Amino acid sequence: MDESGKPQDPQESGQDRPPQLPERTPDGPQAPPPGAPRGGDRGDTGPKAPGGGILMGRPFGVPVYVAPSWFLVAALITWVFGGQLERVLPELGAARYLVSLFFAVAFYASVLVHELAHTVAALRFKLPVRRIQLQFFGGVSEIEKESETPGREFVLAFVGPLLSLVLAGVFYAGMQVVEPGTVPGVLLAGLMVSNLIVAVFNLLPGLPLDGGRMLRAVVWKITGKPMSGTVAAAWVGRALAVTVLIGLPLLTRTGALGRAPEELSGADSLTDALLAAILAAIIWTGAGNSLRMARLRERLPDLTARTLTRRAIPVEADTPLSEALRRANDAGARALVVVDRQGFPTALVREAALVGIPEHRRPWVSVGSLAQDLKDGMRVAAELSGEALLDHLRATPATEYLVVEPTGAIYGVLSTADVERAFVAAMARPS
């Protein structure tokens, strides 16, 4: 490269290696927290569609997915309930498994109604719902924002168990009009009991259960601090996890759950212990995640586009990559913005594209060939921060954004990867 910036033949002796932008540290991929932007998942096209299973529909405009783990639990319910039917209705024969499969589907339809209650309440309070997912142990409604008041938080949490109690009452009423000991009678009794269990279990006062969110709302109301409510409900949730781990097998052994101790085999005891361990792990992990997300939301206002932005220099589209990198290194910059002849920004040079160009090819590659055109929403105000920044990035997924001053002047380039790392670091910092 001569002083004018024109490329020279790479075989000429004495050519220095072209300077490079600082590379990302090889610390391996880190999973961003729920709601963090994921613009790098698919290059320029933005994040993958929110999936995690089979899309079943969009009630109230919210996608409902069935996770692959649901098929495992549906098979388990079919097998267990089929064994119960063999004792109650032996005349069914092999058809009992069809009835059991219907019960499994009807039960998860009830779980969906439970989650839809949360969704409708969230939408009523103007809280966006990303999706509903039915999975191994029930379902989850992914609400993307926190409630603004403890009262709304309490209502949002309570409507789910309330609908499960209502469904239990509906199925109980249905039992009164059918003959006991028949297929409809057994199905209605099973659905009544299962919805009652769902309601009671979710009312337990520990995160991540609905009862934990209700407890959080109460503590929030008393103290005036949502974080205090989250801490209290999360630690109660962890205590609840330990109680389930120890207490469920003990209740089974004492016969408190309806089966005499002498009827239990070693396999039954092992199954109960495994179930208790899985439930305890889910509750403990959920409580910890609730704490981390609360800590993140508390610190979101400290994360601003200005502090996360990489310094950038403007270059024209026909500038050789090696010359652009030399200028960037001389200026202490880590990003390149393509501008037109009047200095107006038109595109961003993608970091992923830079990494893929070998050093010996860089004098013959123009920065314009590696650039992504600026689209609507890819300009971010330098003072944008917290939830507003997250909402902006979520609305226009990309790998890089142009950060501008209030005057419209170029401030730098914001990388989605840097934002994700900042979110992870905020979650990891101790309170």
Side-chain angles (χ1 to χ4, degrees), residues 341-393:
R341 298 296 179 183
Q342 288 73 41
F344 185 80
T346 61
L348 301 177
V349 178
R350 296 176 297 123
E351 180 186 15
L354 286 176
V355 174
I357 305 298
E359 289 184 12
H360 70 275
R361 289 282 305 144
R362 291 176 180 178
W364 284 267
V365 177
S366 67
V367 293
S369 65
L370 305 175
Q372 175 189 6
D373 291 339
L374 284 171
K375 301 176 183 177
D376 292 341
M378 289 180 63
R379 285 178 172 82
V380 177
E383 303 307 324
L384 209 58
S385 65
E387 289 281 359
L389 174 61
L390 185 59
D391 290 342
H392 186 99
L393 303 189

Side-chain angles (χ1 to χ4, degrees), residues 204-210 212-213 215-216 227 229-242 279-295 427:
L204 294 176
L207 286 173
L209 303 175
D210 293 329
R213 296 182 64 187
L215 174 61
R216 173 182 183 268
M227 188 63 184
T230 302
V231 170
W235 279 105
V236 172
R238 287 173 169 175
L240 180 62
V242 175
L279 284 174
I282 290 174
I283 296 172
W284 183 279
T285 303
N289 288 339
S290 297
L291 270 177
R292 284 190 291 272
M293 287 309 301
R295 186 183 303 130
M427 288 174 55

Side-chain angles (χ1 to χ4, degrees), residues 252-316:
T252 303
R253 297 303 302 174
T254 58
L257 297 182
R259 295 185 65 182
E262 57 270 14
E263 296 178 1
L264 297 174
S265 64
D268 292 330
S269 299
L270 181 62
T271 300
D272 291 338
L274 180 61
L275 176 62
I278 294 174
L279 284 174
I282 290 174
I283 296 172
W284 183 279
T285 303
N289 288 339
S290 297
L291 270 177
R292 284 190 291 272
M293 287 309 301
R295 186 183 303 130
L296 171 64
R297 291 188 181 278
E298 188 177 53
R299 290 168 176 165
L300 268 180
D302 297 332
L303 302 178
T304 65
R306 184 180 294 279
T307 59
L308 297 174
T309 295
R310 301 177 179 186
R311 185 178 177 186
I313 62 166
V315 293
E316 294 184 357

Side-chain angles (χ1 to χ4, degrees), residues 91-105:
E91 64 275 12
L92 287 178
R96 68 182 182 273
Y97 291 110
L98 288 177
V99 178
S100 299
L101 179 60
F102 177 83
F103 170 78
V105 174

Side-chain angles (χ1 to χ4, degrees), residues 406-423:
T407 60
I410 297 173
Y411 180 74
V413 172
L414 178 65
S415 169
T416 302
D418 291 341
V419 179
E420 290 180 356
R421 278 195 289 268
F423 284 163

Side-chain angles (χ1 to χ4, degrees), residues 27-289:
D27 52 359
Q30 297 188 58
R38 288 180 171 269
D41 288 345
R42 289 170 56 192
D44 300 334
T45 58
K48 296 179 180 179
I54 301 171
L55 178 63
M56 302 302 294
R58 294 179 178 272
F60 306 103
V62 176
V64 175
Y65 291 89
V66 174
S69 60
W70 178 85
F71 295 95
L72 176 62
V73 75
L76 181 61
I77 292 175
T78 300
W79 177 65
V80 173
F81 195 69
Q84 299 291 331
L85 286 177
E86 187 178 16
R87 290 194 292 270
V88 179
L89 298 170
E91 64 275 12
L92 287 178
R96 68 182 182 273
Y97 291 110
L98 288 177
V99 178
S100 299
L101 179 60
F102 177 83
F103 170 78
V105 174
F107 169 67
Y108 267 85
S110 301
V111 173
L112 177 58
V113 171
H114 176 112
E115 298 303 328
L116 283 174
H118 292 306
T119 296
V120 171
L123 296 176
R124 177 70 177 80
F125 294 145
K126 303 293 191 295
L127 301 176
V129 182
R130 181 169 178 255
R131 67 176 178 178
I132 296 173
Q133 187 182 50
L134 301 180
Q135 48 192 332
F136 190 86
F137 270 103
V140 59
S141 301
E142 296 185 10
I143 302 171
E144 296 185 340
K145 288 187 177 181
E146 293 286 345
S147 300
E148 296 178 354
T149 66
R152 288 186 174 186
E153 174 77 357
F154 189 93
V155 171
L156 188 59
F158 181 61
V159 291
L162 177 62
L163 258 291
S164 294
L165 288 173
V166 169
L167 285 176
V170 170
F171 291 128
Y172 178 77
M175 290 171 56
Q176 310 309 307
V177 298
V178 299
E179 178 119 8
T182 61
V183 170
V186 172
L187 282 175
L188 289 170
L191 290 171
M192 185 269 291
V193 171
S194 60
N195 275 277
L196 191 59
I197 292 174
V198 167
V200 172
F201 181 72
N202 274 280
L203 285 172
L204 294 176
L207 286 173
L209 303 175
D210 293 329
R213 296 182 64 187
M214 294 163 63
L215 174 61
R216 173 182 183 268
V218 171
V219 177
W220 178 5
K221 180 67 174 179
I222 295 173
T223 64
K225 299 177 180 178
M227 188 63 184
S228 298
T230 302
V231 170
W235 279 105
V236 172
R238 287 173 169 175
L240 180 62
V242 175
T243 302
V244 169
L245 180 64
I246 299 173
L248 186 58
L250 290 178
L251 286 175
T252 303
R253 297 303 302 174
T254 58
L257 297 182
R259 295 185 65 182
E262 57 270 14
E263 296 178 1
L264 297 174
S265 64
D268 292 330
S269 299
L270 181 62
T271 300
D272 291 338
L274 180 61
L275 176 62
I278 294 174
L279 284 174
I282 290 174
I283 296 172
W284 183 279
T285 303
N289 288 339

